[in-house]
Amino acid sequence: MHELSLAQSLIDQLLELAREHQAERINRVLVTLGPFSGIVRDSFEFGFNVLKESHDVTRKAVLELETPDPVYVCLDCEKVAVIPFATPNDQMETRSGYPYPKKCPWCCLTRLSPKGGTELILNQVEME
Amino acid sequence: MCDTCGCQLHHHHHADPKIVEVNQSLLAANQKQAESNRHHIEQMGAVAINLISSPGSGKTTLLERTIEILKDTFKIGVIEGDIETERDADRIRAKGVPAVQLTTGGACHLDAPIVHGGLHVLEHLAKGGKYDLIFIENVGNLVCPATFDLGEHQRVILLSVPEGSDKPVKYPATFRSADLMLITKTDLVPYFDFSMDEATKEAGILKPGLEILPLSATTGDGFERWIAYLHGLLKR
Ligand SMILES: Nc1nc2c(ncn2[C@@H]2O[C@H](COP(=O)(O)OP(=O)(O)OP(=O)(O)O)[C@@H](O)[C@H]2O)c(=O)[nH]1
Ligand SMILES: [Mg+2]
Ligand SMILES: [Zn+2]
């Protein structure tokens, strides 16, 4: 549940920005959540929506979370591939007993190593 | 200001919304404190290791045995992170080494500001404030601690045999962040369906080149390589 402390640091940062720009309220907050950040999107969103209620400045703020598609490097052919997360309809292969839909689009082998994608970035804030 | 209704003086219209580009990591504050901790640790003459694992994977037991082997060679200090109690710090103190217990009061991970406080206490506990090795035992949790740099030089992830060899695939963010992976409690391999092959293969896909050492604190098997790794860190 570190999502809650991360949501708290977002709120803190927003309060600071509002002070700095002499804004009375924050309307919209754009955050990028990396696909391999290890941060659960729903928990982060839930935490934000609970915590924003404690301040007049953030009460009306809408959080827009964006997650870029995951990028992998194939350890067999060394090519880079962008492979969106599986949807429930996708055909799953199982590896180690877990659904594992990923296969290198170039060589079809499965040794795909995640590349980057660990970021949690506050991009843009709309305030007035 | 407001053209739509022609009223220029009234308060009931807000100023135009303003868009501010921030483009900064939400972890920036923690990261800044972590860099300062790293500097602080180096001023103390030490190399710091952040130990991360699920509850009960053997972090404190590993430290007890490591201290027995190395305490006459190196000046060791330990920072213990737990949700409650001084128990782990007491176990370390019983081995004759300074230990600071940090209790997070519910939080599931240590962060850089909490560790900063711990470093000051550790400094106070040693004559001259100098150390060679500082171990930071994180709160038992395989998920949350991985996000927070504490200012360590090396991050060591422990995976114990009873937990199962599927943990790297299930907790990829944590294993990707490791500098070294220890497979602990290898004396229990005969009693569990742990596949050394699966664990090492999957961890190697997540983080190519990751060093993996199997060991048992009960029998001492594998400790030579772990101790050699620690000696290696201090030679740098
Ligand atoms: N068989 C076996 N048991 C071990 C080994 N290392 C630790 N244990 C046992 O595992 C249990 C948990 O060990 P700890 O060292 O307290 O684990 P920990 O990771 O510090 O636990 P938390 O701080 O609560 O997260 C204890 O009962 C230990 O005796 C080992 O190498 N082999
Ligand atoms: Mg412990
Ligand atoms: Zn390939």
Side-chain angles (χ1 to χ4, degrees), chain B residues 56-61 63 80-82 87-88 91 137-138 140:
Chain B
S57 301
K59 300 178 291 298
T60 312
T61 312
L63 288 179
E80 285 287 345
D82 277 296
R87 283 183 198 201
D88 281 1
R91 283 169 62 184
E137 177 180 338
N138 221 309

Side-chain angles (χ1 to χ4, degrees), chain A residues 74 76-79 104 106-109 112:
Chain A
C74 174
D76 292 297
C77 72
E78 296 180 356
K79 290 204 173 86
C104 173
W106 313 100
C107 73
C108 295
L109 295 175
L112 290 172

